[in-house]
Amino acid sequence: MDKTYIALVIIVIVAVFIIRSFKQVPQQNAWVVERLGKYHSTLAPGLKLIIPFIDKVAYKHSLKEIPLDVPSQVCITRDNTQLQVDGILYFQVTDPMRASYGSSNYIMAVTQLAQTSLRSVIGKLELDKTFEERDIINAQVVQAIDEAALNWGVKVLRYEIKDLTPPAEILRSMQAQITAEREKRALIAASEGRRQEQINIATGEREAFIARSEGEKQAQINNAQGEAAAIMAVAEATAQAIERVAAAIRQPGGEQAVQLKVAEKAVEAYGKVAADATTTLIVPSNMTEVSALIGSAMKMVQTTQRTV
């Protein structure tokens, strides 16, 4: 019985020894092993072997990116304005040994350093700049924390400001300023619209005037060209008529026909004058004067014929 009991005890001890000898480290984790109270090694992910009762897993660290909510705090800007700031910090353990022995609580250390760095950065800026330069604030906070966090085995990846809340009085004044700015922009836009409208009207009137003047100019040109063409046509017709008359006079019996025509015109003229009751007609005393008139006319026709 005693031997059986002793064998069972030995089997249990061996089983416990074997179980405690193997450690299964999860992915993206690192375990720090101490041997007799002193740092010995860092276990990577997978099945690892240690010496039971001599080696001890003292610290377990996750190598994943960790989001850390930084508590809200009041910061004072360069122009002495209180500002409630709330942010979030993202970091990652890069050196498990330093994370275990570099600080008693690296999470608290990173949190406190983030708050002090943020107050320092905000204190260098005026209130308006804090809303405009969030990216610069985030970058400066990360730079300030990352330099100190290296001794703690921690890499600060980024810092993001979640909210910036000024006092109620500042919010009201900012809202009033925004309203005034919007009203100013509306007035400027309305004036620009009226200005553009006047410009468009003036441009339209100018183009219409130019178009009317161009039309009138073209109409005058067309009228002038028409009158010139008519004058040319009349002149050509008159010239052709004169040429035909001159040609007819040169034919045999042409002069006698002209004398007859002149005589007819003279008689017709005397008839028209005599028909007017208000006109006093003086008839030549003899027909020699009429013959002289016809002779003068024939001389003019002959002169014209020779000229043609």
Side-chain angles (χ1 to χ4, degrees), residues 167-178:
E169 295 80 5
I170 301 297
L171 282 176
R172 284 194 294 268
S173 63
M174 291 175 63
Q175 186 63 38
Q177 182 179 0
I178 292 173

Side-chain angles (χ1 to χ4, degrees), residues 175-293:
Q175 186 63 38
Q177 182 179 0
I178 292 173
T179 303
E181 185 66 24
R182 289 178 179 174
E183 292 177 353
K184 175 184 175 183
R185 291 179 182 176
L187 291 175
I188 293 174
S191 63
E192 287 292 334
R194 290 192 297 270
R195 174 175 172 270
Q196 189 62 40
E197 180 183 3
Q198 294 175 357
I199 291 174
N200 293 339
I201 292 174
T203 303
E205 292 178 350
R206 181 172 62 86
E207 292 178 353
F209 178 77
I210 292 173
R212 286 194 299 270
S213 63
E214 288 292 335
E216 294 174 355
K217 174 184 175 182
Q218 189 62 41
Q220 292 176 358
I221 292 174
N222 294 339
N223 292 334
Q225 291 178 349
E227 292 177 358
I231 292 172
M232 290 294 296
V234 172
E236 290 179 359
T238 303
Q240 291 178 1
I242 292 173
E243 289 178 358
R244 290 183 180 181
V245 170
I249 292 174
R250 286 194 294 267
Q251 298 295 327
E255 292 185 1
Q256 291 77 7
V258 172
Q259 292 176 0
L260 178 61
K261 190 68 175 177
V262 171
E264 290 178 354
K265 291 294 183 179
V267 172
E268 182 180 355
Y270 278 113
K272 290 182 179 179
V273 173
D276 190 357
T278 61
T279 304
T280 301
L281 178 64
I282 300 174
V283 179
S285 58
N286 52 32
M287 295 304 295
T288 39
E289 295 182 3
V290 175
S291 300
L293 178 63

Side-chain angles (χ1 to χ4, degrees), residues 18-59:
I18 293 174
I19 292 172
R20 293 178 65 91
S21 298
F22 291 95
K23 298 294 181 181
Q24 185 176 358
V25 181
Q27 183 66 31
Q28 285 296 97
N29 281 264
W31 292 1
V32 175
V33 176
E34 292 181 352
R35 177 168 293 176
L36 300 177
K38 184 179 179 182
Y39 171 77
H40 174 64
S41 64
T42 301
L43 300 181
L47 186 63
K48 303 299 178 181
L49 180 64
I50 62 173
I51 301 175
F53 307 107
I54 297 177
D55 295 339
K56 180 183 72 170
V57 177
Y59 300 96

Side-chain angles (χ1 to χ4, degrees), residues 81-158:
T81 302
Q82 292 184 351
L83 196 63
Q84 193 79 19
V85 186
D86 188 13
I88 185 168
L89 183 69
Y90 296 87
F91 70 95
Q92 185 178 24
V93 175
T94 56
D95 191 339
M97 185 188 73
R98 288 190 176 184
S100 301
Y101 304 105
S103 174
S104 59
N105 190 337
Y106 63 85
I107 294 179
M108 181 181 292
V110 170
T111 303
Q112 295 296 325
L113 186 58
Q115 289 181 315
T116 56
S117 300
L118 180 62
R119 286 196 296 268
S120 176
V121 174
I122 294 293
K124 298 176 182 178
L125 300 174
E126 296 181 354
L127 179 62
D128 294 338
K129 294 295 183 180
T130 58
F131 294 99
E132 299 173 0
E133 300 181 356
R134 286 197 178 190
D135 294 338
I136 297 177
I137 296 174
N138 296 337
Q140 291 181 356
V141 171
V142 170
Q143 182 180 3
I145 300 174
D146 197 37
E147 292 177 358
L150 290 176
N151 295 327
W152 306 331
V154 175
K155 173 66 176 177
V156 178
L157 302 176
R158 59 189 181 276

